[in-house]
Amino acid sequence: MTAIPQGRTRRATLVAAMCALVLGMTTGLTGCAEDPDAGTNGVGKLSPAQIQARTKSAAGAVDAVRLSGSVVTSGHTYKLDMRLKADGGSGSVTAEGAAFHLLRVGEQLFLKADAAFWDKQDGKSGDGGADTAAGDKLGGKYVKVPSGDPSYKKFSGFTDKDLLLDGLLTLHGTLATDGHHEQAGVRTIRITGDGGSGGTLDVSLEGKPYPLRLERAGGAGTLSFSSWGKDFALEEPAKDETVDYGKQLPTS
């Protein structure tokens, strides 16, 4: 059960009292309802296209955000819990049962995982020989991903705030509103693309119109957004915690 904020309870009580007063003084009135957009930032009264535009603008203007949930791409499901800002990001990724940590500072991308992860990837590569003990060398270390490695573009995308948000916050098809809702106790207005098949997006009605929850089109994942504007430390790992692999990583 979602707790109802005290402010909303007080508003509802005040509206009910006003309605009773009006109904007691006026004939011919059959009812009185609370305005769902009363005390909000007003985006709930805009068209769906305007709401989407306001949301993308608000998200693009803020420095930092936390993104968590799942993304399905190229037939693979990735579970993400990332903190992102303009010059990089940090967080965890789980794919096909394998979990690892990503860290990007500027153009430098690092991947950290346990020995079992690296041994599994090395086993898939089929290289054999001296690289069969990859886990011994790489496990528990921040491995610098070469910019020319095929993994670099894929994984760096998970740490790129602007790239992720630009792609995620656009619903597909005909836009429509789908009523007022709540996410983590915050009032939202929901917009949809093609009745939901093109995705749904809950936008905050309190403060800035930040996106709070996204269901991607075609069942391609569900994401929650939080900690808008909350800065966090982003530094390259110490040298004794880092391994420069120096060539293409074991195939994943």
Side-chain angles (χ1 to χ4, degrees):
M1 180 179 294
T2 302
I4 299 176
Q6 291 184 357
R8 294 184 61 195
T9 302
R10 287 195 294 269
R11 283 196 301 273
T13 301
L14 178 59
V15 170
M18 292 176 63
C19 289
L21 178 61
V22 171
L23 289 172
M25 298 173 60
T26 309
T27 59
L29 296 180
T30 59
C32 184
E34 180 182 4
D35 179 358
D37 292 302
T40 71
N41 55 26
V43 297
K45 297 181 178 181
L46 302 178
S47 70
Q50 289 174 317
I51 295 172
Q52 179 173 254
R54 291 280 186 93
T55 300
K56 295 181 74 171
S57 177
V62 77
D63 293 332
V65 64
R66 182 176 182 178
L67 179 155
S68 59
S70 62
V71 172
V72 180
T73 179
S74 301
H76 299 285
T77 298
Y78 298 90
K79 293 183 179 180
L80 311 177
D81 188 356
M82 302 293 301
R83 298 195 71 179
L84 310 170
K85 56 184 179 179
D87 57 346
S90 175
S92 64
V93 179
T94 302
E96 298 181 356
F100 51 92
H101 183 88
L102 286 178
L103 170 66
R104 182 175 65 84
V105 183
E107 297 301 316
Q108 304 301 318
L109 177 67
F110 302 89
L111 189 155
K112 182 180 180 180
D114 61 18
F117 171 90
W118 290 111
D119 286 338
K120 181 179 180 181
Q121 309 316 312
D122 189 66
K124 290 180 180 178
S125 69
D127 292 336
D131 285 339
T132 56
D136 293 338
K137 296 184 292 184
L138 308 181
K141 298 287 188 179
Y142 282 96
V143 179
K144 186 176 180 180
V145 182
S147 59
D149 189 276
S151 299
Y152 184 92
K153 183 177 181 180
K154 178 195 300 182
F155 291 145
S156 64
F158 289 145
T159 66
D160 191 321
K161 170 181 173 288
D162 292 337
L163 178 65
L164 272 177
L165 295 184
D166 284 347
L168 292 172
L169 299 181
T170 298
L171 302 180
H172 303 282
T174 302
L175 298 179
T177 55
D178 187 26
H180 292 70
H181 300 268
E182 276 193 9
Q183 295 296 330
V186 178
R187 288 178 292 170
T188 66
I189 183 71
R190 181 172 297 170
I191 57 175
T192 66
D194 279 350
S197 62
T200 69
L201 183 65
D202 276 55
V203 178
S204 177
L205 288 173
E206 302 177 16
K208 299 289 186 180
Y210 294 131
L212 297 184
R213 185 176 186 274
L214 169 74
E215 291 187 14
R216 300 183 70 206
T222 300
L223 293 164
S224 295
F225 306 88
S226 61
S227 300
W228 288 102
K230 293 184 179 181
D231 197 16
F232 60 96
L234 193 62
E235 300 177 347
E236 289 192 24
K239 288 186 177 181
D240 61 355
E241 298 178 342
T242 306
V243 174
D244 190 343
Y245 200 65
K247 59 179 180 178
Q248 183 172 317
L249 298 182
T251 303
S252 173

